[in-house]
Amino acid sequence: MIKLVDICRTYHLKNQDVKALDGISLEIPDGSLTAITGHSGCGKTTLLNIIAGYDRPDSGLYLYDGRLVNDYDERQMTDFYRHEVSMIFQEFHLLPYLNVYENIRLPLHYQKRRMNNKEIDAVLGQVGLRGYGRFCPHQLSGGQKQRAALARTLVGEVRVVLADEPTGALDRENAYNIVKLLKGMKEYGMTVVLVTHDEDIAMMADRIITLENGHVVS
Amino acid sequence: MWLVRELLFHRKQHYLNVVANAMAVFLVLIVSVLSDSLAHGISDEIGSLGLDVTMLQVYGEVNDYWFEDFCSEFDITKATPYYSFRYEELSVVSCNDKLYELFEPGLLKGRFLNETDLRNNDNVAVVGSEAYEKNDRKDTVEINGVEFRIIGVLNRSENNLFIDYDKSVFIPVGYDLSTGVRNHSYYYVDGRYAEPYLEDAFGENGYMLINQSSLLKTTGQMSDLVRKVLLFIASVSLAVSLTGMINSMLAGIKERSYEIGIKKVMGASALDIYCEFALESFTVFNIGLVIGLILVTLICRLITSAGIMDICVDYMENLRLLFRLSLAGFVCGLYPAWRAGRISIMDAIRKV
């Protein structure tokens, strides 16, 4: 379970300090799909980065399965990225010089695991991308790229999937399909946290957290 | 496999590095190979003289008979004094019959001085080919008012370390016709045990010994020094190329923070990124090294086939140099790799 207690994060810009998160406390139960919504600049992505461990809060506690993530050293953080959380980005973030197979093998490489093309094809089948293994990212549409990114997350066998506006660059139909796939990840026991502007997509989640000026309002 | 893809994908960044490294490596290797070949050539040339004659030059006046005592003391059988002075354009040399045995200059006609000539102090002389021409091929030659009958003419001289036969006139050792400076030199073989005696007799700075081995040693030291100086100069170009590579890698890291970010998000540790970048720079440098090596081989073959010089690239001999170059390339890639490993995910994904 993810538990945040009184999390604060301030960005120090040239002439002013911007409080992105101001005393956020929340709990995200295992195996749930949580949507985080709010206006631009309300701190959604900052919150997601802190949950992912990419950013550290200035104050407050971040507990993951009862362990204090704030105190993790570099090695523990690397293990955390390898085995616990995975992020899906709006821009897909596939390495352009690797084909779909190789992009999907990327987390496996760092986890020191192996998967042959047949096994990866099975995962690609789950996201509706069977037969695209040898395609390079530039040969795929936006929706296909996001599916490949989802497949990459699936093979990583992480426990928490964080999605930062994964449908932002997609049309309506593709967006719904992606959210359906994210919802399907629950079946694998994954916890999904989704940042979105789109209320319709947010409604598909088990729980909606709304942020405003760095505070949780609902 | 990924490394190859990455290298190909970022090839534009690496093209200039590879070219610069190849040129620098080429320069270092060609200097090494050419200087080696030249040094071997010089050594072979000196070695091919086929003599192990020692030249002893004594500074200052010495008793004419000391050399006989010296030779009998050390059982030196092949030896000759060599008292020379300049007369007009000729070099007049007082010597004995052993000079011919020592250097075997070859005769165009006649004979060399023999024991009878020396014993009787006959007015006979042997002349070099140029001296013979200058003397209008006469049967006699006049030196300081004394007329000598020419009994032999030497062949045009080939390489010799010590003597220019062509302009010389050889007369029996008993004659001293010099009016000015007369050089006291001696030639002998098998006298290596005599050196401590010479130091006692003439003092440390009273004499000079030159022989084939000392010449080989001196030329070896000289060529080694020249090689080192040239290698140092070539190394400067290598240093410039490596600095360029570091700079370009550092700039490349900024551009590739996106890729580093993705890898870190996927679970790459700082060490993983460090190793990947170090391997990449090592590979880039070694591609340059291989190209440089191929160029050197081609150029050397070209020079050899054109008959300019016989150069053989001894890869085993240059293995240590190649290893050092490769190590230098590897070490220079470590700093950019370390910087790449230190990039945080936040810095990387913010730039995306």
Side-chain angles (χ1 to χ4, degrees), chain A residues 11 49 54-55 74 78 81-82 87 89 93-99 102 105-107 109-110 152, chain B residues 2 5-6 9-10 258-259 262-270 272 276 342 345-346 349-350 352:
Chain A
Y11 291 116
N49 284 337
Y54 304 155
D55 200 3
E74 200 180 311
T78 302
Y81 303 143
R82 280 181 189 169
M87 180 82 97
F89 299 90
H93 287 191
L94 298 170
L95 286 180
Y97 48 84
L98 301 182
N99 63 27
E102 288 160 338
R105 280 202 190 94
L106 202 60
H109 171 72
Y110 296 117
R152 186 173 62 182
Chain B
W2 287 0
R5 292 268 178 92
E6 277 189 50
F9 188 76
H10 299 294
Y258 159 79
E259 171 190 326
I262 295 174
K263 286 179 175 175
K264 284 205 161 185
V265 164
M266 293 300 129
S269 64
D272 289 327
E276 284 175 19
R342 300 315 308 164
I345 294 181
M346 278 306 287
I349 61 177
R350 251 187 220 138
V352 176

Coordinates of all heavy atoms in Angstrom, one line a residue, chain A residues 11 49 54-55 74 78 81-82 87 89 93-99 102 105-107 109-110 152, chain B residues 2 5-6 9-10 258-259 262-270 272 276 342 345-346 349-350 352:
Chain A
Y11 N 9.3 24.1 -5.4 CA 10.3 24.3 -6.5 C 10.9 25.7 -6.3 O 10.1 26.7 -6.2 CB 9.8 24.2 -7.9 CG 9.4 22.7 -8.2 CD1 8.1 22.4 -8.4 CD2 10.4 21.7 -8.2 CE1 7.7 21.0 -8.7 CE2 10.0 20.4 -8.5 CZ 8.7 20.1 -8.8 OH 8.4 18.8 -9.0
N49 N 5.5 11.9 -9.6 CA 7.0 11.7 -9.5 C 7.5 11.3 -8.1 O 8.4 10.6 -8.0 CB 7.7 13.0 -10.0 CG 7.7 13.2 -11.5 OD1 7.5 12.3 -12.2 ND2 7.8 14.5 -11.9
Y54 N 11.0 9.3 -8.3 CA 11.9 10.1 -9.2 C 12.3 11.4 -8.4 O 13.4 12.0 -8.6 CB 11.3 10.5 -10.5 CG 10.8 9.3 -11.3 CD1 9.8 9.4 -12.3 CD2 11.4 8.0 -11.1 CE1 9.4 8.3 -13.0 CE2 11.0 6.9 -11.8 CZ 10.0 7.0 -12.8 OH 9.6 5.9 -13.5
D55 N 11.4 11.9 -7.7 CA 11.6 13.2 -6.9 C 11.4 12.9 -5.4 O 10.7 11.9 -5.1 CB 10.5 14.2 -7.4 CG 10.9 15.6 -7.1 OD1 12.1 15.8 -6.6 OD2 10.2 16.6 -7.4
E74 N 20.6 5.0 -3.0 CA 20.6 4.9 -4.5 C 20.3 3.5 -4.9 O 19.5 3.2 -5.8 CB 21.9 5.4 -5.0 CG 21.8 5.8 -6.5 CD 23.1 6.2 -7.1 OE1 23.8 7.1 -6.4 OE2 23.5 5.7 -8.1
T78 N 17.1 2.1 -7.0 CA 17.2 1.3 -8.3 C 16.4 0.1 -8.2 O 15.6 -0.3 -9.2 CB 18.7 1.0 -8.6 OG1 19.4 2.2 -8.6 CG2 18.8 0.3 -9.9
Y81 N 12.8 1.0 -8.6 CA 12.4 1.2 -10.0 C 12.3 -0.1 -10.8 O 11.4 -0.3 -11.7 CB 13.4 2.1 -10.8 CG 13.6 3.4 -10.2 CD1 14.9 4.0 -10.2 CD2 12.6 4.2 -9.6 CE1 15.2 5.2 -9.6 CE2 12.8 5.4 -9.0 CZ 14.1 5.9 -9.0 OH 14.4 7.1 -8.5
R82 N 13.2 -1.0 -10.5 CA 13.2 -2.3 -11.2 C 12.0 -3.2 -10.9 O 11.5 -3.8 -11.8 CB 14.5 -3.1 -10.9 CG 15.7 -2.6 -11.6 CD 16.9 -3.4 -11.3 NE 18.1 -2.7 -11.8 CZ 19.3 -3.0 -11.6 NH1 19.6 -4.0 -10.7 NH2 20.3 -2.4 -12.1
M87 N 6.5 3.7 -14.8 CA 5.8 4.9 -15.3 C 5.5 4.8 -16.8 O 6.3 4.3 -17.6 CB 6.7 6.1 -15.0 CG 6.1 7.4 -15.4 SD 4.9 8.1 -14.2 CE 6.0 9.2 -13.3
F89 N 4.4 7.2 -19.8 CA 4.4 8.7 -20.1 C 3.4 9.0 -21.3 O 3.1 8.2 -22.1 CB 5.8 9.1 -20.4 CG 6.8 8.9 -19.3 CD1 7.5 7.7 -19.2 CD2 7.0 9.9 -18.4 CE1 8.4 7.5 -18.2 CE2 8.0 9.7 -17.4 CZ 8.7 8.5 -17.3
H93 N 7.9 7.3 -24.6 CA 9.3 7.1 -24.2 C 9.8 5.7 -24.5 O 10.3 4.9 -23.7 CB 9.4 7.3 -22.7 CG 9.4 8.8 -22.3 ND1 9.8 9.2 -21.1 CD2 9.1 9.8 -23.0 CE1 9.6 10.5 -21.0 NE2 9.2 10.9 -22.2
L94 N 9.7 5.4 -25.8 CA 10.3 4.2 -26.4 C 11.6 4.6 -26.9 O 11.7 5.7 -27.5 CB 9.4 3.6 -27.5 CG 8.0 3.1 -27.0 CD1 7.2 2.8 -28.3 CD2 8.1 1.9 -26.1
L95 N 12.6 3.8 -26.8 CA 14.0 4.2 -27.4 C 13.9 4.0 -28.9 O 13.5 3.0 -29.4 CB 15.1 3.3 -26.8 CG 15.5 3.5 -25.4 CD1 16.6 2.6 -25.0 CD2 15.9 5.0 -25.2
P96 N 14.1 5.1 -29.6 CA 13.9 5.1 -31.1 C 14.7 4.1 -31.9 O 14.3 3.7 -33.0 CB 14.2 6.5 -31.5 CG 15.1 7.1 -30.4 CD 14.7 6.3 -29.2
Y97 N 15.9 3.7 -31.3 CA 16.8 2.8 -32.1 C 16.5 1.4 -31.9 O 17.2 0.5 -32.4 CB 18.2 3.2 -31.9 CG 18.6 3.4 -30.5 CD1 19.0 2.3 -29.7 CD2 18.7 4.6 -29.9 CE1 19.3 2.4 -28.4 CE2 19.0 4.8 -28.6 CZ 19.4 3.7 -27.8 OH 19.7 3.8 -26.5
L98 N 15.6 1.1 -31.0 CA 15.3 -0.3 -30.7 C 13.9 -0.7 -31.2 O 13.0 0.2 -31.2 CB 15.3 -0.6 -29.1 CG 16.6 -0.3 -28.4 CD1 16.5 -0.6 -26.9 CD2 17.8 -1.1 -29.0
N99 N 13.7 -1.9 -31.7 CA 12.4 -2.3 -32.1 C 11.5 -2.6 -30.9 O 12.0 -2.6 -29.8 CB 12.5 -3.4 -33.2 CG 13.0 -4.7 -32.6 OD1 12.9 -5.0 -31.4 ND2 13.6 -5.5 -33.4
E102 N 12.8 -5.2 -28.5 CA 14.0 -4.8 -27.7 C 13.6 -3.7 -26.7 O 14.1 -3.7 -25.6 CB 15.1 -4.2 -28.6 CG 15.8 -5.3 -29.4 CD 16.5 -4.8 -30.6 OE1 16.1 -3.8 -31.2 OE2 17.4 -5.6 -31.1
R105 N 12.1 -5.6 -23.9 CA 13.2 -6.3 -23.1 C 14.0 -5.4 -22.2 O 14.7 -5.9 -21.4 CB 14.1 -7.0 -24.1 CG 13.6 -8.3 -24.6 CD 14.7 -9.2 -25.1 NE 14.1 -10.3 -25.8 CZ 14.0 -10.4 -27.1 NH1 14.4 -9.4 -27.8 NH2 13.4 -11.4 -27.7
L106 N 13.8 -4.1 -22.4 CA 14.7 -3.1 -21.7 C 14.6 -3.3 -20.1 O 15.6 -3.5 -19.5 CB 14.3 -1.7 -22.0 CG 15.3 -0.6 -21.8 CD1 16.6 -0.9 -22.5 CD2 14.8 0.8 -22.2
P107 N 13.3 -3.3 -19.6 CA 13.3 -3.5 -18.1 C 13.8 -4.9 -17.7 O 14.4 -5.1 -16.6 CB 11.8 -3.4 -17.8 CG 11.1 -3.5 -19.0 CD 12.0 -3.1 -20.1
H109 N 16.2 -6.5 -19.1 CA 17.6 -6.5 -19.1 C 18.2 -6.0 -17.8 O 19.1 -6.6 -17.2 CB 18.1 -5.5 -20.2 CG 19.5 -5.2 -20.3 ND1 20.5 -6.2 -20.6 CD2 20.2 -4.1 -19.9 CE1 21.7 -5.6 -20.5 NE2 21.6 -4.4 -20.1
Y110 N 17.6 -5.0 -17.2 CA 18.1 -4.4 -15.9 C 17.6 -5.3 -14.8 O 18.2 -5.2 -13.7 CB 17.6 -3.0 -15.8 CG 18.3 -2.1 -16.8 CD1 17.5 -1.4 -17.8 CD2 19.6 -2.0 -16.9 CE1 18.0 -0.6 -18.7 CE2 20.2 -1.2 -17.9 CZ 19.4 -0.5 -18.8 OH 20.0 0.2 -19.8
R152 N 5.6 -3.1 -22.3 CA 6.9 -3.0 -21.6 C 6.6 -3.0 -20.0 O 7.4 -3.6 -19.3 CB 7.6 -1.7 -22.0 CG 9.0 -1.6 -21.5 CD 9.7 -0.4 -22.1 NE 9.0 0.9 -21.8 CZ 9.4 2.1 -22.2 NH1 10.4 2.2 -23.0 NH2 8.7 3.2 -21.9
Chain B
W2 N 22.5 -4.0 -28.6 CA 22.0 -2.7 -28.3 C 23.1 -1.6 -28.6 O 22.8 -0.6 -29.1 CB 21.6 -2.6 -26.8 CG 20.3 -3.3 -26.5 CD1 19.6 -4.0 -27.4 CD2 19.6 -3.3 -25.3 NE1 18.5 -4.5 -26.8 CE2 18.5 -4.1 -25.5 CE3 19.9 -2.8 -24.0 CZ2 17.6 -4.4 -24.5 CZ3 19.0 -3.1 -23.0 CH2 17.9 -3.9 -23.2
R5 N 23.3 -0.8 -32.1 CA 22.2 0.0 -32.5 C 22.4 1.4 -32.0 O 22.1 2.4 -32.8 CB 20.9 -0.5 -31.9 CG 20.5 -1.9 -32.5 CD 19.5 -1.7 -33.7 NE 19.2 -2.9 -34.3 CZ 18.1 -3.6 -33.9 NH1 17.3 -3.2 -33.0 NH2 17.8 -4.8 -34.5
E6 N 22.8 1.6 -30.8 CA 23.0 2.9 -30.2 C 24.1 3.7 -31.0 O 23.9 4.8 -31.3 CB 23.4 2.8 -28.7 CG 22.3 2.6 -27.8 CD 22.7 2.7 -26.3 OE1 23.4 3.7 -26.0 OE2 22.3 1.8 -25.6
F9 N 22.7 4.7 -34.3 CA 21.7 5.7 -34.1 C 22.4 7.1 -33.9 O 21.9 8.1 -34.4 CB 20.8 5.4 -33.0 CG 19.6 6.3 -32.9 CD1 18.5 6.2 -33.7 CD2 19.6 7.3 -31.9 CE1 17.5 7.1 -33.6 CE2 18.5 8.2 -31.8 CZ 17.4 8.1 -32.7
H10 N 23.4 7.1 -33.1 CA 24.1 8.3 -32.7 C 25.4 8.5 -33.6 O 26.3 9.1 -33.2 CB 24.5 8.3 -31.3 CG 23.3 8.2 -30.3 ND1 22.4 9.2 -30.2 CD2 22.9 7.3 -29.5 CE1 21.5 8.9 -29.4 NE2 21.8 7.7 -28.9
Y258 N 17.5 12.2 -22.4 CA 16.2 11.6 -22.6 C 16.3 10.1 -22.5 O 15.6 9.4 -21.8 CB 15.7 12.0 -24.0 CG 14.6 11.2 -24.7 CD1 13.3 11.2 -24.3 CD2 15.0 10.3 -25.7 CE1 12.4 10.4 -24.9 CE2 14.1 9.5 -26.3 CZ 12.7 9.5 -25.9 OH 11.8 8.8 -26.5
E259 N 17.3 9.6 -23.3 CA 17.5 8.1 -23.4 C 18.0 7.6 -22.0 O 17.6 6.5 -21.6 CB 18.6 8.0 -24.4 CG 19.2 6.6 -24.6 CD 20.4 6.7 -25.5 OE1 20.4 7.5 -26.5 OE2 21.4 6.0 -25.2
I262 N 15.0 7.3 -19.7 CA 14.2 6.2 -20.0 C 14.8 4.9 -19.4 O 14.1 4.1 -18.7 CB 14.0 5.9 -21.5 CG1 13.2 7.1 -22.1 CG2 13.3 4.6 -21.8 CD1 13.1 7.0 -23.6
K263 N 16.1 4.8 -19.6 CA 16.8 3.6 -19.0 C 16.7 3.6 -17.5 O 16.5 2.5 -16.9 CB 18.3 3.6 -19.5 CG 18.4 3.2 -21.0 CD 19.8 3.2 -21.4 CE 20.0 2.8 -22.8 NZ 21.3 2.9 -23.3
K264 N 16.9 4.7 -16.9 CA 16.8 4.8 -15.4 C 15.4 4.4 -14.9 O 15.2 3.8 -13.9 CB 17.3 6.1 -14.9 CG 18.8 6.3 -15.0 CD 19.3 7.3 -14.0 CE 20.8 7.1 -13.7 NZ 21.3 7.9 -12.7
V265 N 14.4 5.0 -15.7 CA 13.0 4.6 -15.3 C 12.8 3.1 -15.4 O 12.1 2.5 -14.6 CB 12.0 5.4 -16.2 CG1 10.6 4.8 -16.2 CG2 12.0 6.9 -15.9
M266 N 13.4 2.5 -16.4 CA 13.3 1.1 -16.6 C 14.1 0.2 -15.6 O 14.1 -1.0 -15.7 CB 13.7 0.7 -18.0 CG 12.8 1.2 -19.1 SD 11.2 0.6 -18.9 CE 10.2 2.1 -18.9
G267 N 14.9 0.9 -14.7 CA 15.6 0.2 -13.7 C 17.1 0.2 -13.9 O 17.8 -0.6 -13.2
A268 N 17.6 1.0 -14.8 CA 19.1 1.1 -14.9 C 19.7 1.8 -13.7 O 19.2 2.9 -13.4 CB 19.5 1.8 -16.2
S269 N 20.7 1.2 -13.2 CA 21.4 1.9 -12.1 C 22.5 2.9 -12.7 O 22.7 2.8 -13.9 CB 22.1 0.9 -11.2 OG 23.1 0.3 -11.9
A270 N 23.0 3.7 -11.8 CA 24.1 4.7 -12.3 C 25.2 3.9 -12.9 O 25.8 4.3 -13.9 CB 24.5 5.5 -11.1
D272 N 25.0 0.9 -14.3 CA 24.7 0.4 -15.7 C 24.9 1.5 -16.7 O 25.5 1.2 -17.8 CB 23.2 0.0 -15.7 CG 22.9 -1.2 -14.9 OD1 23.8 -2.1 -14.8 OD2 21.8 -1.3 -14.3
E276 N 27.6 1.4 -19.8 CA 27.2 1.5 -21.2 C 27.9 2.6 -21.9 O 28.4 2.4 -23.0 CB 25.7 1.8 -21.3 CG 24.9 0.5 -21.0 CD 23.4 0.8 -20.9 OE1 22.9 1.8 -21.4 OE2 22.7 -0.1 -20.3
R342 N 25.5 10.0 -13.5 CA 25.0 10.9 -12.4 C 23.7 11.6 -12.7 O 23.2 12.3 -11.9 CB 26.1 11.9 -12.0 CG 27.4 11.4 -11.5 CD 27.3 10.3 -10.5 NE 26.5 10.5 -9.3 CZ 26.0 9.6 -8.5 NH1 26.3 8.3 -8.7 NH2 25.3 9.9 -7.5
I345 N 16.9 11.1 -12.8 CA 15.7 10.8 -13.6 C 14.9 12.1 -13.8 O 14.5 12.5 -14.9 CB 14.8 9.8 -13.0 CG1 15.5 8.4 -12.9 CG2 13.5 9.7 -13.7 CD1 14.7 7.3 -12.4
M346 N 14.8 12.9 -12.7 CA 14.0 14.2 -12.8 C 14.7 15.1 -13.8 O 13.9 15.7 -14.6 CB 14.0 14.9 -11.4 CG 13.0 14.3 -10.5 SD 11.3 14.3 -11.2 CE 10.9 16.1 -11.2
I349 N 13.9 13.5 -17.3 CA 12.5 13.5 -17.9 C 12.0 14.9 -18.0 O 11.1 15.2 -18.7 CB 11.6 12.6 -17.1 CG1 11.5 13.0 -15.6 CG2 11.9 11.2 -17.2 CD1 10.5 12.2 -14.8
R350 N 12.6 15.9 -17.2 CA 12.1 17.3 -17.3 C 12.5 17.8 -18.7 O 11.8 18.6 -19.3 CB 12.9 18.1 -16.3 CG 12.0 18.6 -15.2 CD 12.7 19.6 -14.3 NE 12.3 19.3 -12.9 CZ 13.2 19.4 -11.9 NH1 14.4 19.6 -12.1 NH2 12.8 19.1 -10.7
V352 N 12.5 16.2 -21.4 CA 11.8 15.5 -22.5 C 10.6 16.3 -23.0 O 9.9 16.8 -22.1 CB 11.3 14.1 -22.0 CG1 10.5 13.4 -23.0 CG2 12.5 13.2 -21.7

